[in-house]
């Protein structure tokens, strides 16, 4: 196990930790146009690994779902169309459970690639990208829950 592999696994787990106590509804809300649902952050970071690593470097890799790249691309115009940012909270499907299942499959599929020195820079970039989304995820969860008049903690 390499330090980069450890960083990848730790970052993936850190992304999932604040979402663990959320309901599917909690993870789907979008409290303002500049925020993204927690479920979307989980899926977008998974889309990143699937798009830029697995699809490019695993010859027989198949997308988890052919229609999900449209949902979870953000600003990567060269990689296809995407749902409007302010409409991400309208995605009642896929469910949070389906996104978590996809994340687990992508994390597992990444395992053999984590020690490849030729991919080290790309994997380090992907880890940094996911770390950035952890910050956004925490902010968006807090803002979304703060909007609830029941004082959800």
């Amino acid at each position: 196990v390499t330090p980069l592999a450890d960083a990848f696994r730790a970052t993936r787990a850190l992304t999932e930790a604040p979402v663990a106590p959320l309901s599917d509804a909690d993870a789907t809300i979008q409290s303002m146009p500049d925020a993204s649902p927690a479920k979307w952050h989980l899926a977008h970071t998974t889309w990143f690994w699937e798009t830029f690593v697995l699809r490019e470097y695993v010859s027989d890799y198949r997308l988890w779902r052919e229609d999900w790249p449209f949902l979870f691309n953000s600003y990567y115009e060269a990689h296809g169309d995407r749902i409007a940012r302010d409409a991400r909270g309208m995605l009642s499907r896929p469910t949070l459970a389906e996104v978590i299942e996809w994340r687990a499959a992508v994390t597992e599929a990444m395992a053999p690639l984590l020690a490849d020195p030729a991919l080290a820079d790309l994997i380090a970039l992907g880890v940094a990208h996911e770390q950035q989304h952890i910050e956004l995820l925490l902010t968006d969860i807090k803002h979304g829950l703060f909007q609830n008049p029941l004082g959800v903690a």
Side-chain angles (χ1 to χ4, degrees):
V1 177
T2 66
L4 191 54
D6 287 342
F8 170 83
R9 287 185 187 91
T11 301
R12 295 292 279 172
L14 193 57
T15 304
E16 294 165 10
V19 180
L22 300 181
S23 70
D24 192 67
D26 292 336
T28 302
I29 59 171
Q30 183 174 11
S31 56
M32 63 179 171
D34 290 338
S36 294
K39 178 173 61 176
W40 187 90
H41 285 292
L42 292 177
H44 170 70
T45 53
T46 302
W47 169 88
F48 180 94
W49 295 111
E50 194 175 64
T51 299
F52 295 107
V53 182
L54 295 172
R55 211 170 58 174
E56 296 294 321
Y57 296 99
V58 177
S59 61
D60 60 345
Y61 186 79
R62 294 190 186 274
L63 293 177
W64 184 259
R65 288 279 306 266
E66 294 285 334
D67 52 349
W68 285 9
F70 172 77
L71 301 177
F72 303 120
N73 184 359
S74 60
Y75 300 108
Y76 300 89
E77 292 179 8
H79 288 276
D81 291 332
R82 62 204 178 277
I83 193 167
R85 181 178 184 175
D86 62 356
R88 293 172 183 167
M90 300 302 295
L91 297 175
S92 61
R93 297 286 190 274
T95 66
L96 177 59
E98 290 171 312
V99 169
I100 289 170
E101 182 182 10
W102 177 38
R103 281 183 64 84
V106 165
T107 298
E108 183 179 326
M110 284 291 300
L113 304 176
L114 297 174
D116 185 340
L119 297 178
D121 289 344
L122 180 57
I123 291 169
L125 177 68
V127 168
H129 172 257
E130 187 148 344
Q131 289 169 339
Q132 176 189 16
H133 273 275
I134 292 168
E135 294 177 22
L136 296 168
L137 169 68
L138 291 170
T139 301
D140 292 348
I141 289 171
K142 289 171 80 174
H143 188 267
L145 294 180
F146 180 75
Q147 304 308 308
N148 189 312
L150 296 179
V152 179

